[in-house]
Amino acid sequence: MDYNKLADILFCDVTKTPEDYNALYPARNLPESAEVTRIAPSPTGFIHLGNLFGALADERIAKLSDGVFYLRIEDTDEKRKVEGAVEAVLDSLGYFGLKFDEGAEIGGNYGPYYQRQRADLYRTFAKELVKKGLAYPCFCTEEELSAVREIQQENKENTGYWGKYAKCRNLSLEEIERKISEGAPYVLRLRSPGNVENKFTFEDEIKGKITVCENDLDIVILKRDGIPTYHFAHVIDDHFMGTTLVVRGEEWVATLPIHLQLFELLGFERPKYAHTAQLMKIDNGKKRKLSKRHDPELSLEYYKSLGYHPTAVKTYLMTLLNSNFEEWFLANPEKPLEEFEFSVSKMGQSGALFDTMKLDDISKTVISNMEADDVLSFYENWVKEYASDDYDVIFADKAFIKKIIELQMAIGSKKRRKDFICAKQMHGLFGYYFTQYFKPTYDFKLDSEMSRTILEKFIAVYNIADDNETWFNKVKEIASELGFAVKMGDYKKNPDAYKGFVGDVAEIIRVAVTGIKNTPDLCTIMQIIGEDESRKRIADAINHLS
Ligand code: GLU
């Protein structure tokens, strides 16, 4: 067969040569240890935690090695494309502070970064394969292919287009010309020289040595519309875009032999691969993959809408990505996570267990270490976007809400409080500070008469100017007058001698003023809401008890 002739018939539109592309995309001028990484999402509009997980690893690896992190859009499947999906990727990852050095919508010297715009490049190299006898057109219909699959299943053979089943492998040039002139649609297949009996070992950056079989399938490299499959586009793009390390989900290990084979047949040096573990969760005691359908926490919008701080989510993901990160984080909770020495070799080999409780825990620590102003502006942005009806009330006076945040975080005290998990939860905590939202359902621990007496006595001595100590001394006096122990020790030694403990007395005032039993320092809360409001709330509670 005259392969050159076949190549000219199939690719009469191709005018460029491999040399043109070698010149267009020269090797990157980077230090030897620099890693070039990328994420390559399909524009389906759903960008999930798994994408962020991989992107975070890519970004860290590129940044720490003075390399490049870029965005390529794998839009070869027109059916799955969603308008605005690329903006959504940039928005979502931007929210988490991940910035690309180059890529779709950003630009760079290795573009276009949308695969659909790179058709000429793929076709030029597909033509090369045809010229070398390594690719051929296949006219098989869907029906023919499924008939073959059935036979293979019956025979308990590997399914797919291989060996004796690869009907179009040996078509003559005349037959091909005839079919084309008849307008028969065709795909372009690889003529795989591989033998599935041959095993070889491959070194994955995360999984270590993996033994795989050679690929013997004549896989499709260009679809009927001339657009490449993932396999072919991956190899061409990662070569010409100069990727040095492909970080992708472990679901791609199964087709890795195809990719390695394509690199070899095209004469390209292959990048390193790091196949990341799936994100798992425990569901009813069983470990399973996070799923788009069942787990809202897989979507990045979930974290954004609940107002998880991006640093908290990233910090949590880092604990899943690098086994030694948590130890570092606990020892350095105030350091930016960019200072951690991320390493591919410390990435987990088996399913990373996603646990929202742990995320909450980390989030508390991350937020407690932030500046009050940063927490304030983060919260403000969240309210604007997700609770805009409350914005005018909460942000009517910024100094007021800032005081609340400072108190809730215990800014200025030796040990910060860890009250805050996410903006939505913060929002829920702040209700009692605002007259408009204060709707208490009083739950007093002591009987009505005693509760009322406590409140009456307190209101008689209350003075907004009191500092914490004076304030508390007044509460202690009331406690002791009414037969409550002032010292916990005394109460514990002899509980029957007392009506209770000073904390019980303070709780009555707390419930009257805030409606809840657990708050930061009550004296300061009363200072924040002001004298009139404090007095009014206590009076309302007394009324309620009368
Ligand atoms: N488009 C592929 C995906 O979304 C990319 C895999 C890769 O990173 O190579 O899964």
Short mmCIF file of all heavy atoms in Angstrom, two decimals, residues 482-542:
data_model
loop_
_atom_site.label_atom_id
_atom_site.label_comp_id
_atom_site.label_asym_id
_atom_site.label_seq_id
_atom_site.Cartn_x
_atom_site.Cartn_y
_atom_site.Cartn_z
N LEU A 482 -28.59 35.11 96.73
CA LEU A 482 -29.72 34.21 96.49
C LEU A 482 -29.41 32.75 96.82
O LEU A 482 -30.21 31.86 96.52
CB LEU A 482 -30.17 34.34 95.03
CG LEU A 482 -30.76 35.70 94.63
CD1 LEU A 482 -31.01 35.76 93.13
CD2 LEU A 482 -32.08 35.96 95.38
N GLY A 483 -28.24 32.54 97.40
CA GLY A 483 -27.91 31.18 97.85
C GLY A 483 -27.24 30.30 96.82
O GLY A 483 -27.35 29.08 96.87
N PHE A 484 -26.56 30.92 95.86
CA PHE A 484 -25.80 30.15 94.86
C PHE A 484 -24.32 30.18 95.23
O PHE A 484 -23.86 31.19 95.79
CB PHE A 484 -25.96 30.76 93.46
CG PHE A 484 -27.33 30.55 92.87
CD1 PHE A 484 -28.41 31.34 93.26
CD2 PHE A 484 -27.54 29.55 91.92
CE1 PHE A 484 -29.67 31.15 92.72
CE2 PHE A 484 -28.80 29.36 91.37
CZ PHE A 484 -29.87 30.16 91.77
N ALA A 485 -23.62 29.11 94.95
CA ALA A 485 -22.18 29.09 95.25
C ALA A 485 -21.45 30.00 94.28
O ALA A 485 -21.80 30.05 93.09
CB ALA A 485 -21.64 27.68 95.13
N VAL A 486 -20.46 30.71 94.78
CA VAL A 486 -19.71 31.61 93.92
C VAL A 486 -18.49 30.90 93.35
O VAL A 486 -18.06 31.17 92.23
CB VAL A 486 -19.32 32.87 94.73
CG1 VAL A 486 -18.31 33.70 93.97
CG2 VAL A 486 -20.57 33.70 95.02
N LYS A 487 -18.00 29.91 94.14
CA LYS A 487 -16.84 29.15 93.65
C LYS A 487 -17.29 27.75 93.27
O LYS A 487 -18.01 27.09 94.03
CB LYS A 487 -15.78 29.06 94.74
CG LYS A 487 -15.08 30.39 95.00
CD LYS A 487 -13.84 30.15 95.84
CE LYS A 487 -13.22 31.47 96.23
NZ LYS A 487 -12.95 31.55 97.65
N MET A 488 -16.82 27.31 92.13
CA MET A 488 -17.19 25.99 91.64
C MET A 488 -16.80 24.92 92.66
O MET A 488 -17.55 23.97 92.90
CB MET A 488 -16.47 25.76 90.30
CG MET A 488 -16.92 24.54 89.57
SD MET A 488 -18.70 24.61 89.31
CE MET A 488 -18.92 23.39 88.09
N GLY A 489 -15.61 25.11 93.27
CA GLY A 489 -15.08 24.14 94.24
C GLY A 489 -16.06 23.96 95.40
O GLY A 489 -16.38 22.82 95.78
N ASP A 490 -16.56 25.07 95.92
CA ASP A 490 -17.49 25.01 97.05
C ASP A 490 -18.73 24.22 96.67
O ASP A 490 -19.24 23.39 97.42
CB ASP A 490 -17.95 26.44 97.45
CG ASP A 490 -16.79 27.24 98.02
OD1 ASP A 490 -15.74 26.62 98.32
OD2 ASP A 490 -16.94 28.48 98.13
N TYR A 491 -19.20 24.53 95.47
CA TYR A 491 -20.43 23.89 95.01
C TYR A 491 -20.25 22.38 94.87
O TYR A 491 -21.08 21.59 95.30
CB TYR A 491 -20.86 24.52 93.68
CG TYR A 491 -22.13 23.91 93.14
CD1 TYR A 491 -23.33 24.01 93.84
CD2 TYR A 491 -22.12 23.23 91.93
CE1 TYR A 491 -24.48 23.43 93.36
CE2 TYR A 491 -23.28 22.65 91.44
CZ TYR A 491 -24.46 22.75 92.15
OH TYR A 491 -25.61 22.18 91.67
N LYS A 492 -19.10 22.01 94.32
CA LYS A 492 -18.84 20.59 94.08
C LYS A 492 -18.74 19.84 95.40
O LYS A 492 -19.21 18.71 95.52
CB LYS A 492 -17.56 20.42 93.25
CG LYS A 492 -17.83 20.62 91.78
CD LYS A 492 -16.85 19.83 90.93
CE LYS A 492 -17.31 19.82 89.50
NZ LYS A 492 -16.17 19.96 88.59
N LYS A 493 -18.10 20.48 96.38
CA LYS A 493 -17.89 19.83 97.67
C LYS A 493 -19.23 19.58 98.37
O LYS A 493 -19.45 18.57 98.99
CB LYS A 493 -17.02 20.74 98.57
CG LYS A 493 -15.60 20.15 98.77
CD LYS A 493 -14.81 20.98 99.75
CE LYS A 493 -13.84 21.91 99.03
NZ LYS A 493 -13.48 23.09 99.77
N ASN A 494 -20.10 20.57 98.22
CA ASN A 494 -21.33 20.48 99.00
C ASN A 494 -22.54 20.97 98.19
O ASN A 494 -23.15 22.00 98.50
CB ASN A 494 -21.12 21.36 100.25
CG ASN A 494 -22.07 20.94 101.35
OD1 ASN A 494 -22.92 20.08 101.13
ND2 ASN A 494 -21.94 21.57 102.51
N PRO A 495 -22.92 20.24 97.16
CA PRO A 495 -23.97 20.76 96.26
C PRO A 495 -25.31 21.00 96.96
O PRO A 495 -26.04 21.91 96.58
CB PRO A 495 -24.09 19.68 95.19
CG PRO A 495 -23.38 18.50 95.71
CD PRO A 495 -22.42 18.93 96.77
N ASP A 496 -25.58 20.22 98.00
CA ASP A 496 -26.90 20.37 98.64
C ASP A 496 -27.04 21.68 99.40
O ASP A 496 -28.15 22.14 99.67
CB ASP A 496 -27.16 19.20 99.60
CG ASP A 496 -27.29 17.91 98.82
OD1 ASP A 496 -27.58 18.01 97.60
OD2 ASP A 496 -27.08 16.84 99.40
N ALA A 497 -25.89 22.30 99.71
CA ALA A 497 -25.94 23.54 100.49
C ALA A 497 -26.29 24.75 99.62
O ALA A 497 -26.49 25.85 100.15
CB ALA A 497 -24.60 23.77 101.17
N TYR A 498 -26.35 24.54 98.32
CA TYR A 498 -26.57 25.69 97.42
C TYR A 498 -27.74 25.46 96.48
O TYR A 498 -28.09 24.32 96.18
CB TYR A 498 -25.30 25.95 96.58
CG TYR A 498 -24.08 26.27 97.42
CD1 TYR A 498 -23.13 25.29 97.71
CD2 TYR A 498 -23.88 27.56 97.92
CE1 TYR A 498 -22.01 25.58 98.47
CE2 TYR A 498 -22.76 27.86 98.68
CZ TYR A 498 -21.82 26.86 98.96
OH TYR A 498 -20.73 27.15 99.71
N LYS A 499 -28.25 26.57 95.93
CA LYS A 499 -29.31 26.46 94.91
C LYS A 499 -28.70 26.13 93.56
O LYS A 499 -29.38 25.77 92.61
CB LYS A 499 -30.04 27.80 94.80
CG LYS A 499 -30.82 28.15 96.06
CD LYS A 499 -32.19 28.71 95.67
CE LYS A 499 -33.05 28.97 96.88
NZ LYS A 499 -32.56 30.11 97.70
N GLY A 500 -27.43 26.36 93.49
CA GLY A 500 -26.73 26.14 92.23
C GLY A 500 -25.42 26.88 92.30
O GLY A 500 -24.92 27.15 93.40
N PHE A 501 -24.93 27.23 91.11
CA PHE A 501 -23.61 27.82 91.03
C PHE A 501 -23.71 29.15 90.27
O PHE A 501 -24.68 29.37 89.53
CB PHE A 501 -22.72 26.77 90.34
CG PHE A 501 -21.49 27.29 89.70
CD1 PHE A 501 -20.47 27.82 90.49
CD2 PHE A 501 -21.32 27.25 88.32
CE1 PHE A 501 -19.31 28.29 89.90
CE2 PHE A 501 -20.17 27.71 87.74
CZ PHE A 501 -19.17 28.25 88.52
N VAL A 502 -22.73 30.03 90.46
CA VAL A 502 -22.83 31.38 89.86
C VAL A 502 -23.06 31.32 88.34
O VAL A 502 -23.74 32.17 87.76
CB VAL A 502 -21.58 32.24 90.22
CG1 VAL A 502 -20.31 31.68 89.60
CG2 VAL A 502 -21.76 33.69 89.79
N GLY A 503 -22.54 30.26 87.72
CA GLY A 503 -22.73 30.09 86.26
C GLY A 503 -24.22 29.99 85.92
O GLY A 503 -24.66 30.47 84.87
N ASP A 504 -24.98 29.38 86.82
CA ASP A 504 -26.43 29.25 86.56
C ASP A 504 -27.09 30.62 86.57
O ASP A 504 -28.04 30.88 85.82
CB ASP A 504 -27.07 28.37 87.64
CG ASP A 504 -26.46 26.98 87.67
OD1 ASP A 504 -26.02 26.51 86.60
OD2 ASP A 504 -26.40 26.37 88.77
N VAL A 505 -26.58 31.49 87.45
CA VAL A 505 -27.14 32.84 87.55
C VAL A 505 -26.79 33.62 86.27
O VAL A 505 -27.66 34.26 85.65
CB VAL A 505 -26.59 33.55 88.81
CG1 VAL A 505 -27.05 35.00 88.86
CG2 VAL A 505 -27.00 32.79 90.05
N ALA A 506 -25.53 33.51 85.88
CA ALA A 506 -25.11 34.23 84.66
C ALA A 506 -25.90 33.73 83.45
O ALA A 506 -26.23 34.52 82.56
CB ALA A 506 -23.61 34.04 84.45
N GLU A 507 -26.20 32.44 83.47
CA GLU A 507 -26.92 31.88 82.31
C GLU A 507 -28.30 32.52 82.15
O GLU A 507 -28.76 32.73 81.03
CB GLU A 507 -27.04 30.36 82.46
CG GLU A 507 -27.66 29.74 81.22
CD GLU A 507 -27.91 28.24 81.34
OE1 GLU A 507 -26.94 27.50 81.56
OE2 GLU A 507 -29.08 27.85 81.19
N ILE A 508 -28.93 32.83 83.27
CA ILE A 508 -30.26 33.44 83.18
C ILE A 508 -30.14 34.81 82.47
O ILE A 508 -30.95 35.14 81.59
CB ILE A 508 -30.87 33.62 84.60
CG1 ILE A 508 -30.99 32.27 85.30
CG2 ILE A 508 -32.22 34.36 84.53
CD1 ILE A 508 -31.89 31.26 84.62
N ILE A 509 -29.13 35.56 82.85
CA ILE A 509 -28.94 36.88 82.22
C ILE A 509 -28.59 36.69 80.73
O ILE A 509 -29.10 37.39 79.86
CB ILE A 509 -27.82 37.67 82.93
CG1 ILE A 509 -28.07 37.69 84.44
CG2 ILE A 509 -27.70 39.09 82.38
CD1 ILE A 509 -26.93 38.22 85.28
N ARG A 510 -27.77 35.69 80.47
CA ARG A 510 -27.35 35.43 79.08
C ARG A 510 -28.56 35.07 78.21
O ARG A 510 -28.72 35.60 77.12
CB ARG A 510 -26.35 34.27 79.08
CG ARG A 510 -25.59 34.08 77.78
CD ARG A 510 -24.63 32.89 77.86
NE ARG A 510 -23.72 32.93 78.98
CZ ARG A 510 -22.58 33.61 79.01
NH1 ARG A 510 -22.20 34.29 77.97
NH2 ARG A 510 -21.81 33.59 80.08
N VAL A 511 -29.41 34.21 78.72
CA VAL A 511 -30.58 33.80 77.93
C VAL A 511 -31.51 35.01 77.73
O VAL A 511 -32.06 35.21 76.64
CB VAL A 511 -31.31 32.61 78.60
CG1 VAL A 511 -32.66 32.35 77.93
CG2 VAL A 511 -30.44 31.37 78.54
N ALA A 512 -31.61 35.84 78.76
CA ALA A 512 -32.48 37.03 78.62
C ALA A 512 -31.93 37.97 77.54
O ALA A 512 -32.68 38.50 76.72
CB ALA A 512 -32.57 37.76 79.95
N VAL A 513 -30.60 38.14 77.52
CA VAL A 513 -30.02 39.13 76.61
C VAL A 513 -29.78 38.59 75.20
O VAL A 513 -29.91 39.31 74.22
CB VAL A 513 -28.68 39.67 77.21
CG1 VAL A 513 -27.98 40.61 76.24
CG2 VAL A 513 -28.94 40.38 78.52
N THR A 514 -29.43 37.30 75.10
CA THR A 514 -29.06 36.78 73.77
C THR A 514 -30.02 35.71 73.26
O THR A 514 -30.00 35.38 72.08
CB THR A 514 -27.65 36.14 73.81
OG1 THR A 514 -27.72 34.96 74.62
CG2 THR A 514 -26.61 37.09 74.37
N GLY A 515 -30.81 35.14 74.16
CA GLY A 515 -31.71 34.07 73.74
C GLY A 515 -31.04 32.71 73.72
O GLY A 515 -31.71 31.70 73.51
N ILE A 516 -29.71 32.65 73.91
CA ILE A 516 -29.04 31.35 73.87
C ILE A 516 -28.10 31.18 75.08
O ILE A 516 -27.83 32.14 75.80
CB ILE A 516 -28.24 31.13 72.55
CG1 ILE A 516 -27.25 32.27 72.32
CG2 ILE A 516 -29.16 30.99 71.37
CD1 ILE A 516 -26.36 32.05 71.12
N LYS A 517 -27.65 29.93 75.26
CA LYS A 517 -26.89 29.64 76.47
C LYS A 517 -25.39 29.73 76.30
O LYS A 517 -24.65 29.74 77.28
CB LYS A 517 -27.26 28.22 76.96
CG LYS A 517 -28.70 28.15 77.38
CD LYS A 517 -29.08 26.77 77.84
CE LYS A 517 -30.54 26.81 78.28
NZ LYS A 517 -31.08 25.51 78.56
N ASN A 518 -24.94 29.71 75.06
CA ASN A 518 -23.51 29.73 74.81
C ASN A 518 -23.12 30.93 73.98
O ASN A 518 -23.51 31.01 72.82
CB ASN A 518 -23.11 28.48 74.03
CG ASN A 518 -22.47 27.48 74.95
OD1 ASN A 518 -21.63 27.84 75.79
ND2 ASN A 518 -22.88 26.24 74.81
N THR A 519 -22.40 31.84 74.55
CA THR A 519 -21.99 33.03 73.79
C THR A 519 -20.60 33.41 74.27
O THR A 519 -20.17 32.95 75.32
CB THR A 519 -22.91 34.24 74.06
OG1 THR A 519 -22.65 34.72 75.39
CG2 THR A 519 -24.37 33.93 73.88
N PRO A 520 -19.94 34.29 73.54
CA PRO A 520 -18.71 34.84 74.10
C PRO A 520 -19.07 35.72 75.30
O PRO A 520 -20.24 35.82 75.68
CB PRO A 520 -18.12 35.67 72.97
CG PRO A 520 -18.89 35.35 71.76
CD PRO A 520 -20.20 34.80 72.21
N ASP A 521 -18.11 36.41 75.81
CA ASP A 521 -18.26 37.22 77.02
C ASP A 521 -19.51 38.12 77.00
O ASP A 521 -19.65 39.01 76.15
CB ASP A 521 -17.00 38.07 77.15
CG ASP A 521 -17.11 39.00 78.32
OD1 ASP A 521 -17.32 38.49 79.42
OD2 ASP A 521 -17.05 40.23 78.10
N LEU A 522 -20.40 37.88 77.97
CA LEU A 522 -21.69 38.55 77.97
C LEU A 522 -21.58 40.05 78.26
O LEU A 522 -22.30 40.88 77.69
CB LEU A 522 -22.62 37.87 78.99
CG LEU A 522 -24.05 38.38 79.05
CD1 LEU A 522 -24.74 38.28 77.69
CD2 LEU A 522 -24.85 37.59 80.08
N CYS A 523 -20.66 40.40 79.15
CA CYS A 523 -20.48 41.82 79.49
C CYS A 523 -20.16 42.61 78.21
O CYS A 523 -20.73 43.68 77.95
CB CYS A 523 -19.37 41.92 80.54
SG CYS A 523 -18.85 43.60 80.82
N THR A 524 -19.27 42.03 77.38
CA THR A 524 -18.90 42.73 76.14
C THR A 524 -20.07 42.75 75.15
O THR A 524 -20.30 43.74 74.46
CB THR A 524 -17.66 42.08 75.49
OG1 THR A 524 -16.71 41.82 76.52
CG2 THR A 524 -17.05 42.95 74.43
N ILE A 525 -20.81 41.66 75.11
CA ILE A 525 -21.97 41.64 74.21
C ILE A 525 -22.91 42.79 74.58
O ILE A 525 -23.40 43.53 73.72
CB ILE A 525 -22.74 40.30 74.31
CG1 ILE A 525 -21.88 39.18 73.73
CG2 ILE A 525 -24.09 40.37 73.58
CD1 ILE A 525 -22.49 37.80 73.86
N MET A 526 -23.12 42.97 75.88
CA MET A 526 -24.03 44.03 76.33
C MET A 526 -23.47 45.41 75.99
O MET A 526 -24.21 46.33 75.65
CB MET A 526 -24.32 43.88 77.83
CG MET A 526 -25.13 42.61 78.10
SD MET A 526 -25.36 42.22 79.84
CE MET A 526 -26.70 43.31 80.26
N GLN A 527 -22.15 45.51 76.04
CA GLN A 527 -21.55 46.79 75.63
C GLN A 527 -21.75 47.02 74.13
O GLN A 527 -22.02 48.14 73.69
CB GLN A 527 -20.06 46.81 75.95
CG GLN A 527 -19.80 47.02 77.43
CD GLN A 527 -18.36 46.67 77.82
OE1 GLN A 527 -17.58 46.22 77.00
NE2 GLN A 527 -18.05 46.86 79.09
N ILE A 528 -21.65 45.97 73.38
CA ILE A 528 -21.81 46.13 71.92
C ILE A 528 -23.26 46.50 71.57
O ILE A 528 -23.49 47.43 70.81
CB ILE A 528 -21.38 44.84 71.17
CG1 ILE A 528 -19.87 44.63 71.31
CG2 ILE A 528 -21.77 44.90 69.70
CD1 ILE A 528 -19.34 43.36 70.68
N ILE A 529 -24.22 45.79 72.17
CA ILE A 529 -25.60 46.11 71.78
C ILE A 529 -26.09 47.40 72.45
O ILE A 529 -27.06 48.01 72.02
CB ILE A 529 -26.59 44.94 72.00
CG1 ILE A 529 -26.70 44.57 73.49
CG2 ILE A 529 -26.20 43.72 71.19
CD1 ILE A 529 -27.76 43.51 73.76
N GLY A 530 -25.40 47.81 73.50
CA GLY A 530 -25.71 49.10 74.11
C GLY A 530 -26.62 48.99 75.33
O GLY A 530 -27.31 47.98 75.52
N GLU A 531 -26.61 50.03 76.11
CA GLU A 531 -27.34 50.01 77.38
C GLU A 531 -28.85 49.88 77.19
O GLU A 531 -29.51 49.04 77.81
CB GLU A 531 -27.02 51.27 78.18
CG GLU A 531 -27.90 51.41 79.40
CD GLU A 531 -27.26 52.21 80.52
OE1 GLU A 531 -26.26 52.90 80.26
OE2 GLU A 531 -27.76 52.11 81.65
N ASP A 532 -29.40 50.71 76.31
CA ASP A 532 -30.86 50.71 76.14
C ASP A 532 -31.36 49.35 75.71
O ASP A 532 -32.33 48.82 76.25
CB ASP A 532 -31.27 51.76 75.10
CG ASP A 532 -31.00 53.16 75.60
OD1 ASP A 532 -30.68 53.31 76.81
OD2 ASP A 532 -31.09 54.11 74.79
N GLU A 533 -30.67 48.80 74.69
CA GLU A 533 -31.11 47.51 74.17
C GLU A 533 -30.96 46.43 75.25
O GLU A 533 -31.84 45.58 75.41
CB GLU A 533 -30.29 47.17 72.91
CG GLU A 533 -30.66 45.86 72.23
CD GLU A 533 -32.05 45.82 71.63
OE1 GLU A 533 -32.68 46.90 71.45
OE2 GLU A 533 -32.54 44.70 71.37
N SER A 534 -29.86 46.47 76.00
CA SER A 534 -29.64 45.46 77.05
C SER A 534 -30.76 45.56 78.10
O SER A 534 -31.35 44.55 78.50
CB SER A 534 -28.30 45.67 77.75
OG SER A 534 -27.26 45.56 76.81
N ARG A 535 -31.02 46.76 78.53
CA ARG A 535 -32.08 46.94 79.54
C ARG A 535 -33.43 46.48 79.00
O ARG A 535 -34.20 45.83 79.70
CB ARG A 535 -32.18 48.42 79.96
CG ARG A 535 -31.05 48.84 80.88
CD ARG A 535 -31.31 50.22 81.47
NE ARG A 535 -30.16 50.60 82.27
CZ ARG A 535 -29.94 50.20 83.53
NH1 ARG A 535 -30.81 49.42 84.13
NH2 ARG A 535 -28.87 50.59 84.18
N LYS A 536 -33.69 46.83 77.76
CA LYS A 536 -34.98 46.46 77.17
C LYS A 536 -35.14 44.93 77.13
O LYS A 536 -36.19 44.39 77.46
CB LYS A 536 -35.09 47.05 75.76
CG LYS A 536 -36.41 46.73 75.10
CD LYS A 536 -36.52 47.32 73.71
CE LYS A 536 -37.81 46.87 73.05
NZ LYS A 536 -37.99 45.43 72.92
N ARG A 537 -34.05 44.26 76.75
CA ARG A 537 -34.14 42.80 76.64
C ARG A 537 -34.38 42.16 78.01
O ARG A 537 -35.14 41.20 78.14
CB ARG A 537 -32.87 42.24 75.99
CG ARG A 537 -32.81 42.60 74.52
CD ARG A 537 -31.67 41.89 73.83
NE ARG A 537 -31.54 42.35 72.44
CZ ARG A 537 -30.67 41.86 71.58
NH1 ARG A 537 -29.83 40.93 71.95
NH2 ARG A 537 -30.63 42.32 70.35
N ILE A 538 -33.71 42.70 79.02
CA ILE A 538 -33.90 42.13 80.36
C ILE A 538 -35.33 42.41 80.83
O ILE A 538 -36.02 41.53 81.36
CB ILE A 538 -32.84 42.68 81.34
CG1 ILE A 538 -31.46 42.16 80.91
CG2 ILE A 538 -33.14 42.25 82.77
CD1 ILE A 538 -30.29 42.72 81.67
N ALA A 539 -35.80 43.62 80.55
CA ALA A 539 -37.17 43.97 80.94
C ALA A 539 -38.17 43.06 80.22
O ALA A 539 -39.13 42.56 80.83
CB ALA A 539 -37.44 45.44 80.63
N ASP A 540 -37.94 42.80 78.94
CA ASP A 540 -38.83 41.92 78.19
C ASP A 540 -38.86 40.52 78.79
O ASP A 540 -39.91 39.88 78.89
CB ASP A 540 -38.37 41.80 76.72
CG ASP A 540 -38.69 43.07 75.94
OD1 ASP A 540 -39.43 43.94 76.46
OD2 ASP A 540 -38.17 43.20 74.81
N ALA A 541 -37.68 40.06 79.21
CA ALA A 541 -37.60 38.71 79.79
C ALA A 541 -38.34 38.69 81.13
O ALA A 541 -39.04 37.72 81.44
CB ALA A 541 -36.13 38.31 79.97
N ILE A 542 -38.20 39.77 81.89
CA ILE A 542 -38.91 39.82 83.19
C ILE A 542 -40.42 39.77 82.92
O ILE A 542 -41.15 38.99 83.55
CB ILE A 542 -38.53 41.11 83.97
CG1 ILE A 542 -37.06 41.02 84.40
CG2 ILE A 542 -39.45 41.32 85.18
CD1 ILE A 542 -36.49 42.29 85.04
#
